[in-house]
Amino acid sequence: MTITLIILGLIALVWIGLYLSPVHRSTFTEPLDADAGEGALDGTQPPVTLIAPARNESAVLPRTVPTYCRQEYTRLRVLIVDDQSDDTTPTVLTELSRVHPELIHMRTTERPAGWMGKSWAVASGVTFARGLPSVALDTTPEQAAEEIYCFTDADCAFHPRALATAVRVMREQNADMLSVLPHMVLGHWSEKIGLPALLTTLGMVFPLGSVNNPASSIALAAGGFILIRRSAYEKVGGHESVRSHIVEDVQLARRAKSMGVRLHTRLTRNLVTTHMYEDWNDLWEGLAKNAYAGMDYQPRKFWVGLIVGMMVAVLPPVYMVATLIWVIAAPSPAGWTALALSAAIVAAQAAIHARTIRHMGLPLYHAVLMPVSIALYQAIAASSAFQYHYRGGNLWKGRRVGGPAVTEPQPPG
C-alpha cells in the first residue's frame, strides 16, 4: 500500500512539475509564424540555397515545389534532389522546371555503403549546388560568404514569407542554425490519434526552452525546415557526419550544439506545413522508420522507455479506475489519497496534452486520448525494434533502411 502511494506520488510530481515548467510551456507559447512585415530586405538578404530530397514523391511535388519557387525572397536557388525514385518523379520535376525556371533538379548516384538515403541525397545536393553559379548576380563576396542552406522535405509546403521570416528571426536570435517543426495537417483518423502523442513526447523530452538555451545540452531540429549557415554546416562536417543515422536531423542538431553552433528551434502554425501520411499503413511505416532509431537502436533504451512510458503515460486511467474501486469497496485514508493522486495524474496529463491539441487545431476532447496515443506509439516502436533486429531494417518507400549493417558506428570520413 505504501509502495503504491509512493509510486503514484512520484508520477504525479512528474506530470504536475512538467505542466508548471516554464521551459515546457514556452514550447507552445512562442510559435514562429509568418510575419506581415518586410522581413529581411532585398539589399541585406543573404543568399539561400534550398535543397529538398525526393524519393517517389510525384504525388506531392506539384503541390509543394511551387511554394519554394514563389518565396518572397530574392536571393534564392531551389534544388530538388531525386533520390533514385522509381515512380514518375523525374518526369514531374522536368515539367515543373518548365513552369519555374528557377528550379534545378538532379538525380543521385547509387548510395555508398554506410549512408542513409536522405543524408546521401542532401549531401549530394550540397556538392552539386557548390558547383553552380552564384545565387544572384549582384551578390557581393561578403554576402556570398554568408550563404545559408535551407533543408526541407519534399512533402513540406512553405508560406510565401517562410524564408524571409525565418532569416529575420535567425538574425535576431544570432543563430547559426534555425529549425522549425512543420505544422502537421491531419486528415486520416490514424493521424489524429497517433501524431499528437509524438509532438507531446517531443515537447517533454526536448522542451524548446532548453533547446534554445546555449547552456543546455538538449538539442532538436526537424528535417522539414532547417536553415544553417554554410560556415556552420561545414564546421560540423555536413551530412557526412550523420550519414549512418535515420534521425539525421536530431543528430545534426546535437553535433552542431556540442560544437558551439548556436541553435534555435520553434514550432509554427503556418510557416511550414506538411501532410505526412495518407492512411494507417503509411503512418505505421513512417513512424516505425524513426521510432527505434530515436532510441539509438539500443535495447536498453527501448525497454526502459517501454516500461516507464507504460507506467507514466499509458496506465494512469487504469490507476484511477482501480483506486475508485478501492475506495468504494473499502474506504480508507490511503484509498482516498491514492484516488486523489490518480486524478491529479490524469488531469495534469490531459492539461499537458491539451497544449499539443490546441496547437494542432483538434477538438479539445482529444486531450484525454493521450494514453491511447502513447500506447499506439509504443506498439509502433516495438514493431520498429523487431524489424531492425529480425528483418534487416524498417521498410520505407520500397526499401529497407536502418538495418544493423548500416547503423553500426562508421569510421570517420
Side-chain angles (χ1 to χ4, degrees), residues 32-51:
L32 176 55
D33 295 333
D35 61 26
E38 290 299 320
L41 299 176
D42 287 352
T44 61
Q45 286 182 350
V48 172
T49 297
L50 184 153
I51 299 175

Side-chain angles (χ1 to χ4, degrees), residues 67-125:
T67 70
Y68 311 151
C69 298
R70 295 169 182 162
Q71 285 295 294
E72 296 178 16
Y73 200 93
T74 304
R75 295 190 174 92
L76 171 65
R77 176 167 52 208
V78 177
L79 172 62
I80 308 298
V81 183
D82 174 15
D83 181 18
Q84 297 289 303
S85 298
D86 51 25
D87 66 353
T88 60
T89 290
T91 302
V92 170
L93 288 174
T94 299
E95 293 173 351
L96 285 169
S97 64
R98 295 193 182 105
V99 180
H100 303 283
E102 62 274 32
L103 172 64
I104 304 168
H105 60 94
M106 60 160 289
R107 186 176 176 89
T108 63
T109 57
E110 288 296 327
R111 175 167 49 100
W115 283 80
M116 289 291 102
K118 182 178 179 181
S119 290
W120 172 243
V122 175
S124 298

Side-chain angles (χ1 to χ4, degrees), residues 215-389:
S216 169
S217 61
I218 297 176
L220 175 68
F225 190 92
I226 293 175
L227 288 184
I228 184 168
R229 299 185 191 280
R230 177 172 174 173
S231 57
Y233 184 73
E234 293 173 348
K235 177 180 180 179
V236 302
H239 277 76
E240 184 177 4
S241 67
V242 294
R243 62 188 181 275
S244 64
H245 295 277
I246 289 182
V247 191
E248 86 297 329
D249 44 10
V250 177
Q251 295 296 335
L252 190 66
R254 288 175 177 170
R255 181 173 175 83
K257 197 169 187 182
S258 70
M259 298 180 70
V261 172
R262 188 175 178 86
L263 172 66
H264 191 80
T265 302
R266 303 271 281 276
L267 295 182
T268 187
R269 289 169 295 198
N270 64 7
L271 205 71
V272 185
T273 58
T274 181
H275 185 195
M276 298 176 66
Y277 307 114
E278 296 297 330
D279 53 32
W280 169 261
N281 292 332
D282 198 25
L283 177 135
W284 188 285
E285 184 178 282
L287 293 182
K289 172 178 68 72
N290 292 336
Y292 198 41
M295 304 171 195
D296 298 322
Y297 303 106
Q298 295 184 19
R300 176 181 57 82
K301 286 187 176 182
F302 168 75
W303 286 109
V304 170
L306 186 71
I307 294 170
V308 173
M310 185 71 67
M311 292 181 62
V312 173
V314 176
L315 294 178
V318 177
Y319 301 155
M320 192 166 177
V321 172
T323 54
L324 180 61
I325 294 174
W326 178 5
V327 299
I328 292 175
S332 67
W336 284 108
T337 301
L339 178 59
L341 289 172
S342 298
I345 292 169
V346 170
Q349 183 184 49
I352 286 174
H353 198 44
R355 291 171 176 167
T356 295
I357 297 305
R358 292 191 189 97
H359 175 77
M360 300 183 82
L362 289 170
L364 196 56
Y365 71 81
H366 278 266
V368 301
L369 298 179
M370 183 178 178
V372 178
S373 297
I374 294 294
L376 171 61
Y377 190 76
Q378 288 195 322
I380 292 173
S383 171
S384 178
F386 177 82
Q387 291 185 65
Y388 173 85
H389 287 290

